[in-house]
Amino acid sequence: MGKKGDMPGWDENTVQLRRVLRLSGVVFALFAAGCSLLLTDGEVRLGQLVLLGAYSVYNILLRDQELVLPEYSVNLALCAAMTVTGVAYSAILYPLLLLRGVLRVGRQRALRLILLTVPVYLAAVLFYRPQLDLAAVQELSFMVLSLLLIAWMALQLHQIWQNQIGQENRVTELLNMNNHHYRLSLTDELTGLYNYRAYQEMAASITDYTLLLIDIDHFKKINDTYGHLCGDRVLSEMGDLLRLGLREEDLAFRYGGEEFAIVLPDADLELGMKIAERLRKRIASGDFFWDNARISVAVSIGVAVKDETNDSQIAFWQADRALYSAKRQGRNKVQAFGGNREPAEAGIAEEAVLEKKAVGEK
């Protein structure tokens, strides 16, 4: 009965309430111990104090998340022993124990606790007071009725909590499902990297970073020569290479087609150039195979810095200009915006010509 794990989703609030009820029993036991010192003679008082002390220590040492039949039986036996020895006010311990037990085991096992508790209480009272007058019978009847009423109240409270926990679990499931779909909406299915939408959301929220724009050189030629399935394989393996070549805090995106974006938070231009060059070399020397034939893959990379002087859109524009400059210089290169070979202020007409030419060469 009542093994740990019988109540999936049983939350911390119910554990706290059971702890309060358990400690309340200890408080009443200490109160009864005080009364025992004042109201009884020495021999009986010593036995009562031993029982009260055993009950208090046992319940203080109990683990709150567990309520098994042996634990309940030990507490019930201690309560019965206190009743038999005439411990004053010990009857209050029965309702507290039953309430805690029913809250733990729920409707299916509540009847077992009631059928165990009520007869034990009646037997202990009859042993202590074999001859009952009318007042004692009324008191006994009131106590039994109180135990039944408390058990019923505990069942209702248990059901309310179960319903609430069920609703909370359903809400949690819906939130987890929404989070899962949201993560899918930010992930590129082919490469496993973040997608364009994720870049738009994440890049704007980071204050300082270095941006790498990576474009696969002559990707159209790969598709035309080996087919689009091969092109998809190259893109997928590119995603793996980019993940392996970055720091834990870096973010990798498939921006679109054969173009990738890398956000390096809190990285200056020098570090960004080092990481970009390392990625370029790793990709150039990577093993891309299709039908047992090695495919030569190279990338051009543009690098720009986003800081307090610009925003994510300007940084992207700058990295894009640097990328086109790298392609214009022969591809398979890394170029920083504003570098020795990339004017920081290019003319608008020249920019348009370069962009048109670069698009035609992809």
Side-chain angles (χ1 to χ4, degrees):
M1 181 196 307
K3 293 181 181 179
K4 185 177 180 180
D6 281 351
M7 198 64 60
W10 190 256
D11 65 2
E12 182 61 24
N13 290 332
T14 60
V15 175
Q16 291 293 337
L17 179 57
R18 293 205 311 273
R19 182 180 297 120
V20 169
L21 292 172
R22 176 171 54 80
L23 295 180
S24 296
V26 174
V27 171
F28 278 107
L30 295 176
F31 173 76
C35 294
S36 177
L37 288 171
L38 296 174
L39 301 178
T40 60
D41 57 32
E43 184 177 352
V44 176
R45 183 173 60 199
L46 179 59
Q48 293 176 343
L49 292 179
V50 170
L51 290 172
L52 290 165
Y55 178 89
S56 300
V57 171
Y58 182 69
N59 281 275
I60 289 174
L61 296 178
L62 276 178
R63 298 178 62 186
D64 291 310
Q65 68 271 27
E66 294 184 359
L67 178 64
V68 295
L69 183 57
E71 180 265 311
Y72 192 89
S73 300
V74 169
N75 268 317
L76 187 59
L78 289 171
C79 291
M82 284 184 264
T83 301
V84 168
T85 57
V87 175
Y89 307 110
S90 61
I92 190 61
L93 299 178
Y94 292 93
L96 291 174
L97 180 61
L98 184 60
L99 176 59
R100 182 159 58 97
V102 174
L103 284 176
R104 179 61 180 93
V105 301
R107 184 179 301 275
Q108 292 183 346
R109 297 184 177 92
L111 182 60
R112 298 182 189 179
L113 295 186
I114 295 172
L115 293 178
L116 179 64
T117 305
V118 173
V120 168
Y121 169 71
L122 291 175
V125 172
L126 292 175
F127 186 89
Y128 175 64
R129 300 168 63 181
Q131 301 297 325
L132 297 178
D133 55 18
L134 180 60
V137 171
Q138 292 176 340
E139 180 182 347
L140 195 61
S141 301
F142 174 79
M143 185 63 184
V144 172
L145 181 62
S146 298
L147 288 173
L148 296 176
L149 181 60
I150 285 174
W152 179 81
M153 293 173 58
L155 284 175
Q156 301 308 308
L157 184 58
H158 178 276
Q159 188 60 46
I160 291 172
W161 277 339
Q162 283 296 91
N163 293 338
Q164 180 180 354
I165 291 170
Q167 292 175 358
E168 291 175 352
N169 288 339
R170 286 191 289 273
V171 170
T172 301
E173 290 176 2
L174 289 174
L175 290 176
N176 290 337
M177 187 178 299
N178 288 337
N179 289 335
H180 175 68
H181 290 310
Y182 177 71
R183 288 194 296 271
L184 289 179
S185 72
L186 298 179
T187 303
D188 176 63
E189 183 177 0
L190 181 60
T191 63
L193 304 178
Y194 290 118
N195 59 18
Y196 170 80
R197 175 184 174 182
Y199 174 81
Q200 296 293 99
E201 293 185 10
M202 296 180 181
S205 65
I206 303 175
T207 304
D208 299 311
Y209 61 83
T210 293
L211 175 65
L212 314 183
L213 279 189
I214 304 173
D215 191 272
I216 301 177
D217 297 329
H218 300 299
F219 185 72
K220 184 177 183 299
K221 183 178 179 180
I222 295 175
N223 280 332
D224 292 342
T225 303
Y226 301 99
H228 288 279
L229 289 179
C230 175
D232 289 347
R233 171 73 65 81
V234 170
L235 291 172
S236 177
E237 294 182 4
M238 274 286 295
D240 294 336
L241 285 173
L242 292 179
R243 274 191 295 269
L244 293 174
L246 298 177
R247 305 172 302 171
E248 183 177 354
E249 64 269 26
D250 298 334
L251 302 172
F253 307 83
R254 183 186 177 194
Y255 194 82
E258 68 272 24
E259 193 168 63
F260 300 84
I262 307 294
V263 172
L264 308 173
D266 299 320
D268 57 17
L269 182 60
E270 181 180 1
L271 177 58
M273 290 293 289
K274 289 180 179 179
I275 294 176
E277 183 62 25
R278 184 178 66 200
L279 289 174
R280 184 196 66 79
K281 291 180 178 179
R282 175 172 293 183
I283 293 168
S285 62
D287 293 326
F288 296 88
F289 287 93
W290 184 256
D291 287 340
N292 297 322
R294 188 181 185 279
I295 303 173
S296 178
V297 178
V299 296
S300 299
I301 304 178
V303 184
V305 175
K306 191 265 185 185
D307 54 27
E308 67 277 0
T309 63
N310 59 4
D311 58 25
S312 58
Q313 293 182 344
I314 293 176
F316 185 88
W317 181 87
Q318 293 174 341
D320 199 39
R321 302 278 69 76
L323 172 62
Y324 288 149
S325 177
K327 286 186 171 292
R328 189 173 63 246
Q329 295 173 44
R331 294 181 170 81
N332 194 20
K333 295 184 181 297
V334 175
Q335 178 63 50
F337 179 80
N340 295 332
R341 291 170 290 181
E342 172 62 25
E345 298 180 358
I348 297 178
E350 181 184 0
E351 296 270 347
V353 171
L354 292 175
E355 181 171 354
K356 183 177 180 181
K357 180 180 177 182
V359 171
E361 290 175 342
K362 289 184 181 178

